[in-house]
């Protein structure tokens, strides 16, 4: 039996492909007609091919469990793509560039005079309670005054079709390798669709990343020495670290492979002797980066690395201290930050957000915990949050205590009806909720991936898209509005 779109029901959610029962969106008509010609068995065969490709290509992610420790699992991938029309994407792209430009200005200001605080736009008490503000970075001016060279901003769409920024990831955002590999798998599974559709490419990301890193090299050599610094093979994103290093033609190193010498330069141990390093794309959190400056117990970092960076002998991407803007409470002020630094209104809105640090907003949150999503300031991956409508009375009572104890560290948002995309489930196709993580590179120029990593909640009704909690992913196609 072929896919029947007449039976596909998006309910009250905004579906990215199907406007309503039996009515695909204009840009999805060709795809839905194509899929309607395929039986469930044929699609299952294609799905099996994708699973085999993922296994052969070694695309994995790591899950941590108390019972079994770390486990490598094959990347969960759904073969039905998510599509976004180019006219809409053009606005999103401009909005992401605007947002990252303002956030880099904001970070630089916080470490150089804090004018935004003196002008009363950003609360001083919010900075005092920041877990990611690094006093060690005060007065430092990184190359081009850019702190967050690689940003992954998560986007969601609500039931009305409005696109929102859900959060900004400015420390060590991950997922771009899966975006690239998803496209490779799709080309194997549905090669004919890439002949029919004009799909904007994503495979120039690694060359753009290389150019971004080259632009911040302290030595203006034609071929600066760039390395990717990983915590090691047990990190959940190790596949990505190795993938990006391989694609850029760079060395993948651990902290023990690097040393800071008396000249404050960073050197890499090689079989041919010490080799100076110009740029480090670090995938290690600030506190583990340099045991001399931060956590003295860290075995992952490089002693003296912060000193070398502050003296301009090596460039770090992202810069230490960039995480001060990677805070869900700071996120709530981003529209004001954009207005302050750029004198513009945000092109992509924030999700409406209640800041528990303010008594009136906190009182509303405490009275409506059964309706809201409550998030801690500095957690990621969907951990530490409470989805009010699905929480027990005990869980809501616990979060009420946490909010009262530390109001600065919590925000709350309405429970959004996230958009859906047709997804293969068993022997059929059903709607599943999705979000989107595009990646923005900031160097001499700003570059936004055409699309990004679409994460999908594979469990029916679930809003949790993280792979560590049962989510998967899809290829994201930016296409012309009418094809």
């Amino acid at each position: 039996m072929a896919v029947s779109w007449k039976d596909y029901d998006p309910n009250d959610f905004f579906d990215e492909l199907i406007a309503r029962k039996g009515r695909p969106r204009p840009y999805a008509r060709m795809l839905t007609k194509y899929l309607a010609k395929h039986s469930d068995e044929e699609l299952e065969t294609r799905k099996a091919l994708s699973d085999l490709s993922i296994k052969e290509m070694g695309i994995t992610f790591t899950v941590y469990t108390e019972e079994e420790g770390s486990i490598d699992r094959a990347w969960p991938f759904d073969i039905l793509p998510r599509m976004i029309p180019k006219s809409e994407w053009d606005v999103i792209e401009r909005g992401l560039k605007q947002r990252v430009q303002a956030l880099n200005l904001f970070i630089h200001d916080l470490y150089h005079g804090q004018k935004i605080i003196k002008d009363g736009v950003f609360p001083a008490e919010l900075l005092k309670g920041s877990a990611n503000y690094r006093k060690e970075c005060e007065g430092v001016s990184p190359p081009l005054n850019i702190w967050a060279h690689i940003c992954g901003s998560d986007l969601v769409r609500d039931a009305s079709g409005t696109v929102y920024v859900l959060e900004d990831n400015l420390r060590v955002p991950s997922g771009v390798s899966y975006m690239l590999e998803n496209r490779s798998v799709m080309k194997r599974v549905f090669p004919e669709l890439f002949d029919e559709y004009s799909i904007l490419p994503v495979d120039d990301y690694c060359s753009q990343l290389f150019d971004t890193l080259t632009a911040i090299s302290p030595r203006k050599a034609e071929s600066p020495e760039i390395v990717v610094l990983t915590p090691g093979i047990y990190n959940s994103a190790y596949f990505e670290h190795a993938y990006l290093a391989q694609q850029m033609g760079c060395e993948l190193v651990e902290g023990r492979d690097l040393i800071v010498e008396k000249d404050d330069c960073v050197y890499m141990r090689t079989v041919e002797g010490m080799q100076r390093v110009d740029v480090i794309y670090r995938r290690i959190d600030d506190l583990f980066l340099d045991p001399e400056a931060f956590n003295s117990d860290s075995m992952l970092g490089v002693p003296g690395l912060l000193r070398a960076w502050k003296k301009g002998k090596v460039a770090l991407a992202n810069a230490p201290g960039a995480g001060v803007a990677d805070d869900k409470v700071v996120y709530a002020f981003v529209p004001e930050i954009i207005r302050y630094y750029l004198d513009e209104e945000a092109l992509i809105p924030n999700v409406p957000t209640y800041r528990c640090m303010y008594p009136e907003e906190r009182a509303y949150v405490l009275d409506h915990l059964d309706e809201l999503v409550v998030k801690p300031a500095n957690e990621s991956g969907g951990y530490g949050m409470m989805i009010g409508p699905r929480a027990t009375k005990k869980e809501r009572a616990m979060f009420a205590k946490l909010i009262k104890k530390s109001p600065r560290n919590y925000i709350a948002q309405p429970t959004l009806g996230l958009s859906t995309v047709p997804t293969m489930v068993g022997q059929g196709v059903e709607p599943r909720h999705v979000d989107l993580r595009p990646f923005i590179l900031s160097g001499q120029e700003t570059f936004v991936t055409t699309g990004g990593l679409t994460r999908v909640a594979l469990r029916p009704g679930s809003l949790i898209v993280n792979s560590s909690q049962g989510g998967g992913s899809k290829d994201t196609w930016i296409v012309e509005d009418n094809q």
Side-chain angles (χ1 to χ4, degrees), residues 203-214 247-248 441:
D203 49 11
D204 54 352
Y205 176 83
C206 290
S207 63
Q208 295 284 358
L209 175 60
F210 184 83
D211 290 345
T212 298
L213 298 175
T214 297
Q247 291 293 313
M248 290 192 293
L441 299 176

Side-chain angles (χ1 to χ4, degrees), residues 182-410:
N182 285 352
R183 179 59 55 86
S184 297
V185 172
M186 281 297 283
K187 286 182 176 179
R188 291 188 182 194
V189 175
F190 289 118
E192 62 274 24
L193 280 175
F194 287 84
D195 294 330
E196 298 291 333
Y197 263 105
S198 176
I199 304 164
L200 294 185
V202 296
D203 49 11
D204 54 352
Y205 176 83
C206 290
S207 63
Q208 295 284 358
L209 175 60
F210 184 83
D211 290 345
T212 298
L213 298 175
T214 297
I216 61 173
S217 171
R219 292 191 301 170
K220 300 308 173 187
E222 282 189 17
S223 301
E225 187 65 47
I226 300 171
V227 300
V228 178
L229 176 60
T230 177
I233 60 172
Y234 297 109
N235 184 266
S236 61
Y238 181 76
F239 168 83
E240 175 157 301
H241 307 164
Y243 176 90
L244 292 175
Q246 189 270 332
Q247 291 293 313
M248 290 192 293
C250 301
E251 295 293 335
L252 179 68
V253 299
E254 297 181 28
R256 61 190 175 185
D257 300 318
L258 303 178
I259 187 171
V260 178
E261 294 285 21
K262 292 179 181 179
D263 59 0
D264 293 321
C265 294
V266 180
Y267 294 86
M268 173 174 53
R269 295 182 173 92
T270 75
V271 292
E272 298 175 352
M274 293 295 187
Q275 185 168 343
R276 183 174 170 183
V277 173
D278 300 297
V279 183
I280 300 175
Y281 176 22
R282 54 98 175 203
R283 299 299 296 259
I284 295 176
D285 286 337
D286 285 357
L287 296 182
F288 299 96
L289 201 55
D290 179 352
E292 281 186 12
F294 301 121
N295 185 347
S296 60
D297 295 329
S298 174
M299 303 294 290
L300 302 176
V302 184
L305 183 57
L306 191 75
R307 181 177 75 248
W309 172 70
K310 291 172 75 169
K311 291 191 175 182
K313 298 297 183 72
V314 70
L316 295 174
N318 284 342
V324 67
D326 190 348
D327 178 310
K328 292 179 176 63
V329 185
V330 172
Y331 154 91
F333 288 87
V334 171
E336 289 97 319
I337 290 170
I338 292 172
R339 202 174 296 122
Y340 179 78
Y341 291 107
L342 304 181
D343 195 24
E344 299 171 356
E345 294 300 315
L347 293 173
I348 312 175
N350 273 14
V351 175
T353 303
Y354 299 96
R355 300 162 289 191
C356 294
M357 61 187 288
Y358 294 129
E360 286 186 6
E361 296 182 34
R362 179 167 70 250
Y364 179 86
V365 170
L366 292 172
D367 287 341
H368 295 82
L369 283 175
D370 59 334
E371 303 170 13
L372 301 170
V373 176
V374 179
K375 299 178 180 179
N378 293 296
E379 291 286 349
S380 60
Y383 292 101
M385 61 187 279
M386 182 200 75
I387 301 177
R390 301 182 186 187
T392 64
K393 283 186 178 181
K394 184 177 179 180
E395 288 170 332
R396 292 197 290 269
M398 180 187 73
F399 268 82
K401 286 182 180 179
L402 292 171
I403 291 168
K404 291 173 184 176
K405 182 179 180 181
S406 182
R408 178 262 181 256
N409 286 319
Y410 288 90

Side-chain angles (χ1 to χ4, degrees), residues 16-293:
E16 307 276 341
L17 298 188
I18 308 299
R20 56 184 184 275
K21 272 192 176 184
R23 296 295 295 272
R25 299 190 183 278
Y27 54 84
R29 286 172 186 156
M30 188 190 305
L31 175 66
T32 53
K33 284 181 182 177
Y34 172 85
L35 292 173
K37 296 176 184 177
H38 287 67
S39 67
D40 292 342
E41 290 75 17
E42 288 173 315
L43 289 177
E44 280 294 329
T45 299
R46 303 265 184 156
K47 178 69 170 72
L49 175 59
S50 79
D51 292 342
L52 180 61
S53 297
I54 287 168
K55 186 175 180 179
E56 288 178 342
M57 295 161 74
I59 309 173
T60 63
F61 73 105
T62 304
V63 175
Y64 300 101
T65 67
E66 292 184 4
E67 299 80 19
E68 302 174 79
S70 61
I71 308 168
D72 281 344
R73 291 182 178 169
W75 180 243
F77 177 70
D78 183 71
I79 63 172
L80 304 187
R82 188 237 195 107
M83 304 177 77
I84 301 172
K86 187 175 182 299
S87 61
E88 185 177 24
W89 183 255
D90 289 342
V91 178
I92 293 171
E93 181 180 11
R94 291 199 302 272
L96 291 171
K97 288 181 177 180
Q98 175 199 56
R99 193 173 183 95
V100 171
Q101 181 187 3
L103 285 170
N104 270 306
L105 290 168
F106 170 69
I107 298 167
H108 193 73
D109 184 15
L110 291 185
Y111 293 114
H112 293 80
Q114 303 179 356
K115 190 171 184 295
I116 194 171
I117 293 176
K118 292 172 182 175
D119 288 344
V121 177
F122 187 79
E125 63 267 29
L126 191 53
L127 186 62
K128 289 177 184 175
S130 172
N132 293 303
Y133 181 78
R134 306 286 175 237
K135 288 186 69 68
E136 298 86 352
C137 298
E138 290 176 355
V140 179
S141 295
L144 307 175
N145 289 339
I146 292 173
W147 296 75
H149 308 87
I150 303 101
C151 174
S153 291
D154 292 342
L155 306 179
V156 295
R157 197 197 293 271
D158 71 359
S160 71
T162 302
V163 173
Y164 295 95
V165 176
L166 182 66
E167 65 180 46
D168 302 293
N169 297 280
L170 300 165
R171 284 175 282 181
V172 282
S174 63
V176 73
S177 61
Y178 299 113
M179 175 194 80
L180 299 171
E181 292 287 41
N182 285 352
R183 179 59 55 86
S184 297
V185 172
M186 281 297 283
K187 286 182 176 179
R188 291 188 182 194
V189 175
F190 289 118
E192 62 274 24
L193 280 175
F194 287 84
D195 294 330
E196 298 291 333
Y197 263 105
S198 176
I199 304 164
L200 294 185
V202 296
D203 49 11
D204 54 352
Y205 176 83
C206 290
S207 63
Q208 295 284 358
L209 175 60
F210 184 83
D211 290 345
T212 298
L213 298 175
T214 297
I216 61 173
S217 171
R219 292 191 301 170
K220 300 308 173 187
E222 282 189 17
S223 301
E225 187 65 47
I226 300 171
V227 300
V228 178
L229 176 60
T230 177
I233 60 172
Y234 297 109
N235 184 266
S236 61
Y238 181 76
F239 168 83
E240 175 157 301
H241 307 164
Y243 176 90
L244 292 175
Q246 189 270 332
Q247 291 293 313
M248 290 192 293
C250 301
E251 295 293 335
L252 179 68
V253 299
E254 297 181 28
R256 61 190 175 185
D257 300 318
L258 303 178
I259 187 171
V260 178
E261 294 285 21
K262 292 179 181 179
D263 59 0
D264 293 321
C265 294
V266 180
Y267 294 86
M268 173 174 53
R269 295 182 173 92
T270 75
V271 292
E272 298 175 352
M274 293 295 187
Q275 185 168 343
R276 183 174 170 183
V277 173
D278 300 297
V279 183
I280 300 175
Y281 176 22
R282 54 98 175 203
R283 299 299 296 259
I284 295 176
D285 286 337
D286 285 357
L287 296 182
F288 299 96
L289 201 55
D290 179 352
E292 281 186 12

